[in-house]
Structures are given as structure tokens and as C-alpha cells.
Amino acid sequence: MASRILEQAFDPWQLISQHQADNKLSIQFGATATFIGTMRDFNDNADVSAMTLEHYPAMTQRYIDKLIDEAKQQWDLLDVLIVHRVGNIKPAEPIMLIACWSAHRRASLDACSWLIEELKHRAPFWKKEVRLDGERWVEKNTDGL
Amino acid sequence: MASRILEQAFDPWQLISQHQADNKLSIQFGATATFIGTMRDFNDNADVSAMTLEHYPAMTQRYIDKLIDEAKQQWDLLDVLIVHRVGNIKPAEPIMLIACWSAHRRASLDACSWLIEELKHRAPFWKKEVRLDGERWVEKNTDGL
Amino acid sequence: MSIQVKFFASLKERLNIEDRQIATASTAGEAWDIVTNKAARPDNVLVAINLEYAAFDDAIKEGDEVAFFPPVTGG
Amino acid sequence: MSIQVKFFASLKERLNIEDRQIATASTAGEAWDIVTNKAARPDNVLVAINLEYAAFDDAIKEGDEVAFFPPVTGG
């Protein structure tokens, strides 16, 4: 299990691949479900040229680790990797990576979906968009979209 | 959109990364959901040392492409990649890769889950396990596990 | 022109038939009977005609490909 | 010992306060009032005490860290 807050752009597939190689998941996992959230260049129809992600460093790391613990209690997971970007983000850069490994598919898929919503609606991160018409804090994440 | 049937072991993260680089998904996708099914070394409590995946070549490719079309009709997807292994498979080797790209998270997550079940329960592939007690055709995939 | 009849996986091994050509048959079920010499049909056997799922009663014609196989177990 | 009070994101910008230390306060709400000079509390403001979600009425003591922030928008 691992979580990282990164201030630099990252390659999600490389991080997942590396995590899987570094952690001896051996041959017990049959299922890997992943989700990558990436910065788009438009939101609410206003062009967004960049984004700043602020967070509450001490609480963020703790909160994400708590989410991983809760996911492990709810589902039979062999491993979880969560990476969340902070700082200045450009379009097409990944913002969030969630990867769950389990013996059977339902656990990793359900845990991955649950972690997405928890990270979006509970973890202390805040997005500010740089738009054609100026900067704007994102007030609310969409529900389940 | 792409689908491949492979007779050799593949690195799922490398294939997803390559597909994303090759296809100009530009910066419109905000969500990528993936699922990798990997060969475990045990099933029904009997050690499995290897597996052979037989398929119906002409129908398989056509059927997978049809599933991708159906997924595109049901969800707002920007891209889909499906890779399925056939032939002789060793433990820890990936069997199936599904990756879905969409603007918003729900489409890629739901399409990915749907494609898993369709591939497991409808696409013409058959697993034969090499076990301690001999070879055995897998008679039925588990339901949603 | 003839009808191509194929068997896969456990069904292929059990019947010991992989691929046969027959001159004609009016339904997939008749093709089964001709090729297997009227072997009993397992309850769960699946049928495809020209690479699409079909039923034993579905009509076939010369030039078609008919396949019989057990429940699928991919993924 | 003192109480550390933090503000984040739009709340930090609007109040123009990032980080303050106050000598004492009995609840998170009292810490808000002291630091913001009794600014109105937005309906949706969130409170954390020692890195855990809490409420304005929750008790605090010296040495604690209290944070106020708007709805989160990560992921």
C-alpha cells in the first residue's frame, strides 16, 4: 500500500508498473483496476489553460492513508496505490491515480470506484482554474460524473 | 478504438501508454479506467501451473469489435483498447486488458465494468488449466467476482 | 459450396471432431446430427452461424460456417 | 502553547488570512471568531481539528491545530 502527493507531472502507467514490480504481489492477484483523472482543457464551457491544486499537506497524506485503510477493511485487497498531483497543472497532465489489486475482480473495481468518490468529495484538495476570463476556484466537484 | 488478440505475453501498462501516445486523444479526456485480468496460480483451491486459452479466431476479433461498438453506443467514450491473450499462459501473465477513456469518470468506469462481464461471459474464449491433478477445462467463469 | 462445421474446446476434445465439411443441412441442429452421428447435445452447448450466436433451430445454407462450443470462459 | 489556526483555498483568499496563532479558544467556532474578527461563516465551510474533520462546536485546547476550508475539489 502506498500513497504519494507529487508536485511534478507524472506518468501514471510508469508509476503503476513500477509499483507492481517493486511490491511482491507475486501471483496471487488476478485483478487490477485503475483510474486516472486527467486535466481537461475545458470545464463548464470556459477554456481552462492551467490549474493550481492547493492542499492541506499534513491532513492530505493522513486522509489518503485513512481512505486506503478503510478500503482494505471493506474489500479484500492485495495492494493499493494512490498518487495525487498538487501545484501548477497543465492540460493533459494526470491529476489523480488510483490502482487496486485483488484476487477477484469485484473487490478491485468496487474499491477503485469508492476511492475516486472519497478523494473527490472528502480529501482536502482545492482546484483553481486559470481561464480566459480570469482565475476561479472550482466550487464543487460534480456528483459521480 | 483498438482490439488485439495476442499469442505472446504482454506488458499491459506499456500497451496502454503506447495506445494513448499513438492516438491523439488530445486533452479532451479527463478519465481513464482500466482493468487487467492476470493469471493466478490457484483456482478452486487446486494449484494451477499453467493455462491454455483457446479461441475461435474469426469470431473472437469480430465479437470484441462488436462489444466496443456497443459500449460506444451506451456511453460517451473517447477511446477503448481491448487486448486478450490466447495460447499458453504462465502464472502472473496478464490475460485481458480493458482501457476506456472518457471526458467524465462515470462513462469510462461503467463501460469498463460492462466490457469485463461481456468478455468473460460472451466472447468465444475457453480456458484449460494445467493442474497438479492433470489438465481441466474451466467450465464456467464466476459471476461478477 | 458446402457447409463448414467447427467444434471448440472441451466439445472438440470430447467428440474428437475439430472441423468438417458437409454438403448440406437445413438447420444448425441438422449439421450437428450429421457430423456427430446424432450425438446427444449437451444442455449448455452454444451455436454460432457465420460468427454470430444462433440457435440449433436456425436455418443454414451452403457456404455457411456453423460452430458448436461449450460455455465461454475468457477474461 | 497556543492554538494554530489555518485557512485554505478560496476562504484563505477571501479572508486574506492563511495562518494565525491564538493564545486560547474553547471551540473551533470561537477560534474562527477570534481570528476573523467574527466574520460571517459561509454555510459550507469545513472544519478540521488536528487533521480530522470536526464541527464548529467541537472543543479545542492549547496545542491544537484548527483549519477552516471550503468544499474540497480534488481528484
Side-chain angles (χ1 to χ4, degrees), chain C residues 4 12 22 26 30 37 42-43 52 58 75:
Chain C
Q4 187 87 6
K12 171 178 72 183
I22 57 175
S26 58
E30 194 184 330
N37 205 14
D43 281 344
E52 300 278 354
D58 287 349

Side-chain angles (χ1 to χ4, degrees), chain B residues 54 56 84 122 125 127-128 141, chain C residues 9 13 53 65 73-75:
Chain B
E54 182 175 329
Y56 181 179
H84 205 295
R122 297 284 291 164
F125 292 99
K127 289 189 187 113
K128 185 191 228 176
N141 271 331
Chain C
E13 290 189 358
Y53 279 106
E65 175 168 312
T73 55

Side-chain angles (χ1 to χ4, degrees), chain D residues 47-65:
Chain D
V47 183
I49 297 174
N50 296 331
L51 314 177
E52 298 279 356
Y53 279 107
F56 274 99
D57 292 340
D58 286 350
I60 56 173
K61 60 185 188 307
E62 289 174 32
D64 282 354
E65 175 170 311

Side-chain angles (χ1 to χ4, degrees), chain A residues 54-56 59 62-63 66 84 96 120-123 125-128 137-138 141, chain D residues 6 8-10 12-13 48 50-53 65 67 69-75:
Chain A
E54 184 176 328
H55 73 132
Y56 181 178
M59 183 171 171
R62 180 191 175 103
Y63 198 79
K66 189 171 127 181
H84 205 294
M96 172 170 83
K120 284 194 167 265
H121 298 297
R122 297 284 294 165
F125 292 100
W126 302 275
K127 288 189 187 114
K128 185 192 229 175
W137 287 99
V138 177
N141 271 332
Chain D
K6 296 184 173 207
F8 290 94
S10 56
K12 172 178 71 181
E13 290 188 358
N50 296 331
L51 314 177
E52 298 279 356
Y53 279 107
E65 175 170 311
F69 45 81
V72 305
T73 55

